[in-house]
Amino acid sequence: MKAIKYLVMGALMLGFGTPVLAQDGSKADVDAVKQLISSKPADLDKQMKPFYKANKKNAENLLAIGRAFYEANDTAHAREYAQHALVASKNKYAPAYILLGDIAALADDGGGAASWYDQAIYYDKTLAEAYRKYAMVYRKIDPRGAAQKLDELKVNCPEVNVDAIKGHIFMVAGDEKSAYNEFKKVPIAQLDKSYLNEFARASYFQGHFEDALAACEQGLKDKPRNATFTRLAMFSNYELKNYDAAKGYIYKYFNETDSAKYSEYDHYYSALVYDALGEQENAFGEYDKALALVNDSSMIKKWAILKTLSDAYLKNKDYAKATDYYKQMLAAKKDLTYDDEEGLANIYTKDGDASADPAKKIEMIKKADEVYAALTQKYPTQEVYSTYMRANLNNKLDNNMEKSLAKPYYEKLASLLSGRSDRTKGQDTMLKTAYHYLMFNSYINKDIDGAKAFAEKILQIDPEYKAALEIQALK
């Protein structure tokens, strides 16, 4: 009796532990299979046999069971039931091909996935999901081919917003120009949050700031605390010179957004806005915050922030700080150009020109000359321009040519340019300037014949040059 009692109790316990599952070919079978999958039984294949038997002619249920396995990351059983669905439909059930495509895509087999999605389209030309998924996997192989597939969808399903999907495809592929062109075709009110986000970014990075701002403003209607829309609205307003509006978005971005992670780029743009509004103290504070956050992986480089900061101090005529930050920029930037290094000479020159102290003026002009002397050696192809600038600077140090300080540089400039038959207009101007200096230098030193000789050379370049005509007319 005890043995029978325990057997009965065991049977009852088994009944409580294993739910009664439907196996009648209805939708309840799919729900039951989902429960079975989640319980992860050791004899899953054995327990699945009755479900397959009850549904082997029901392609829709077989596919739903395959989807349940797919969502549980069991691609082997998902593939098996997708194939069962095809057998049940005599290979004509399009959603089964989509599942097989999803399985291939999950395995990073883009070509295989595209082939399965194409099969789905063959059997159901109105199945928008198949076109969209085909485009998403095929974009890695050929973004334009993916877009062409969506054009087929537009023919077969004109009600589907294909242009927005194409914009998304191009955006994911990194083709912002094409993404912008596709999104632009869609009325902005018809774009959902994710597409508005992509349209705003594509517009901004392609320089279409009005469109970027419009997309951000549309997105903020539904998501007023969205950090991305607020951020890009600030940037776009700055680019559109709507500085007061940009300042308003600075406050919103740093105080009224959710999940914003502030970057050096945010502080840099904030500084630019404050700088444009003449709020220098706020601007310099934001530049400092940007410098504290910038690193080698930043979208904006440290040297660019230092250059802008130097320019800001230069605009304020704080030449010492402008010089200091410019030197930091030169130290931070790799692959310096001639223009980069010449910038330091420009600051020295402006500092000297602005100084009321004669000694400081001379000191700064000499420093600028030293920069050009070094540039002449480092950049031989810029020798003409460097020599021209050295001549002009030395002329500033010489009151009425008393010491002829600029003479050797203008003579060198004339030597470099006079024999060239391919001179540009700019080089003609440089040569004419050199001859003008040498003409008057000869004149004030009472060398009239020499002055006339230089006047003749000037007139060969510019026959109507008044000063040369006057020298020529001397008796």
Side-chain angles (χ1 to χ4, degrees):
M1 283 295 293
K2 283 186 178 181
I4 295 173
K5 177 181 176 182
Y6 289 130
L7 284 171
V8 171
M9 288 178 64
L12 288 171
M13 290 292 289
L14 183 62
F16 280 117
T18 306
V20 177
L21 302 177
Q23 297 166 356
D24 57 6
S26 68
K27 183 180 180 300
D29 277 1
V30 178
D31 295 332
V33 168
K34 288 180 180 178
Q35 292 180 41
L36 181 62
I37 293 171
S38 66
S39 70
K40 300 180 180 179
D43 59 344
L44 176 63
D45 287 336
K46 180 179 179 181
Q47 293 195 47
M48 283 301 303
K49 287 181 180 179
F51 289 105
Y52 169 67
K53 185 176 181 180
N55 291 277
K56 65 180 179 180
K57 293 185 179 180
N58 187 335
E60 184 176 350
N61 267 14
L62 291 168
L63 192 278
I65 291 170
R67 274 281 164 206
F69 277 117
Y70 177 82
E71 289 166 8
N73 294 319
D74 185 344
T75 54
H77 281 103
R79 184 182 294 104
E80 178 185 348
Y81 276 85
Q83 294 291 356
H84 287 328
L86 287 176
V87 171
S89 66
K90 297 183 180 179
N91 295 320
K92 295 180 181 180
Y93 190 46
Y97 291 110
I98 290 181
L99 177 54
L100 290 170
D102 291 350
I103 294 168
L106 194 64
D108 203 25
D109 179 7
S115 179
W116 288 120
Y117 295 140
D118 210 23
Q119 281 285 88
I121 293 168
Y122 177 80
Y123 286 107
D124 186 351
K125 288 183 169 50
T126 65
L127 195 57
E129 181 185 13
Y131 291 93
R132 182 178 61 79
K133 289 188 171 183
Y134 177 99
M136 284 302 295
V137 296
Y138 202 67
R139 65 177 168 77
K140 296 180 180 179
I141 303 167
D142 179 9
R144 298 207 169 274
Q148 288 172 2
K149 200 67 175 182
L150 290 170
D151 288 333
E152 293 179 26
L153 172 59
K154 195 169 187 176
V155 172
N156 294 310
C157 300
E159 75 282 358
V160 178
N161 200 338
V162 170
D163 296 318
I165 301 173
K166 287 168 69 176
H168 172 67
I169 294 294
F170 283 121
M171 197 65 182
V172 173
D175 186 349
E176 291 165 349
K177 181 178 180 180
S178 297
Y180 168 80
N181 290 335
E182 295 301 332
F183 281 128
K184 183 66 175 172
K185 298 174 185 176
V186 186
I188 201 164
Q190 294 181 17
L191 294 172
D192 64 19
K193 177 191 168 185
S194 63
Y195 287 158
L196 279 171
N197 184 307
E198 291 182 336
F199 182 38
R201 289 188 288 119
S203 299
Y204 176 78
F205 289 115
Q206 286 299 304
H208 301 287
F209 303 118
E210 290 183 354
D211 289 320
L213 182 58
C216 291
E217 289 175 340
Q218 180 69 23
L220 288 169
K221 289 178 182 178
D222 293 326
K223 301 289 182 182
R225 296 183 64 86
N226 182 274
T228 299
F229 289 136
T230 306
R231 183 177 190 250
L232 283 178
M234 183 227 304
F235 295 172
S236 299
N237 271 304
Y238 169 78
E239 298 294 350
L240 293 168
K241 303 187 188 310
N242 302 330
Y243 301 127
D244 286 320
K247 180 180 175 181
Y249 278 108
I250 291 175
Y251 180 83
K252 290 180 181 179
Y253 181 66
F254 288 105
N255 298 280
E256 298 177 355
T257 55
D258 296 323
S259 304
K261 183 179 180 182
Y262 309 130
S263 72
E264 60 281 356
Y265 207 66
D266 300 328
H267 291 294
Y268 177 70
Y269 249 100
S270 298
L272 293 177
V273 173
Y274 286 128
D275 207 355
L277 290 169
E279 299 183 22
Q280 297 301 321
E281 187 175 346
N282 286 334
F284 292 139
E286 292 297 324
Y287 283 130
D288 288 340
K289 290 176 183 177
L291 285 173
L293 291 173
V294 73
N295 55 58
D296 291 341
S297 63
S298 297
M299 185 163 54
I300 185 168
K301 301 304 178 187
K302 182 178 181 180
W303 67 263
I305 300 174
L306 290 165
K307 170 66 167 58
T308 307
L309 192 49
S310 174
D311 290 345
Y313 278 113
L314 187 61
K315 186 171 67 175
N316 271 11
K317 298 183 179 179
D318 188 337
Y319 300 106
K321 287 186 177 178
T323 301
D324 178 51
Y325 280 109
Y326 203 89
K327 286 181 176 178
Q328 289 184 52
M329 182 280 286
L330 293 174
K333 186 180 180 185
K334 299 176 182 178
D335 302 321
L336 290 170
T337 66
Y338 182 92
D339 289 344
D340 291 330
E341 299 194 57
E342 186 195 11
L344 185 59
N346 291 335
I347 296 174
Y348 285 140
T349 302
K350 289 180 180 179
D351 192 1
D353 289 343
S355 179
D357 179 358
K360 182 177 181 182
K361 184 184 291 285
I362 292 171
E363 178 190 2
M364 292 298 108
I365 297 300
K366 284 186 174 180
K367 282 188 175 183
D369 181 60
E370 289 170 1
V371 172
Y372 283 110
L375 292 177
T376 303
Q377 299 300 315
K378 187 173 181 179
Y379 300 93
T381 58
Q382 295 289 342
E383 183 180 16
V384 168
Y385 178 76
S386 295
T387 303
Y388 173 72
M389 294 304 297
R390 294 194 73 190
N392 292 344
L393 288 168
N394 279 275
N395 196 32
K396 287 186 177 188
L397 295 173
D398 193 4
N399 185 31
N400 295 322
M401 302 186 188
E402 289 177 359
K403 298 179 181 179
S404 298
L405 295 178
K407 184 178 180 181
Y409 302 104
Y410 280 124
E411 287 177 335
K412 181 179 179 181
L413 183 62
S415 173
L416 290 168
L417 290 175
S418 60
R420 291 190 180 182
S421 59
D422 59 345
R423 290 193 305 267
T424 64
K425 288 184 179 180
Q427 289 172 337
D428 274 346
T429 299
M430 290 182 194
L431 183 56
K432 190 164 65 173
T433 301
Y435 285 150
H436 176 98
Y437 175 93
L438 294 170
M439 177 180 71
F440 275 101
N441 186 265
S442 296
Y443 175 75
I444 64 174
N445 285 295
K446 304 187 185 310
D447 181 3
I448 304 301
D449 289 339
K452 285 187 174 184
F454 285 118
E456 178 61 29
K457 291 180 179 182
I458 292 174
L459 293 172
Q460 289 175 9
I461 300 170
D462 182 357
E464 298 179 2
Y465 193 67
K466 186 176 179 180
L469 289 171
E470 289 175 352
I471 292 291
Q472 278 255 303
L474 291 175
K475 299 297 184 180

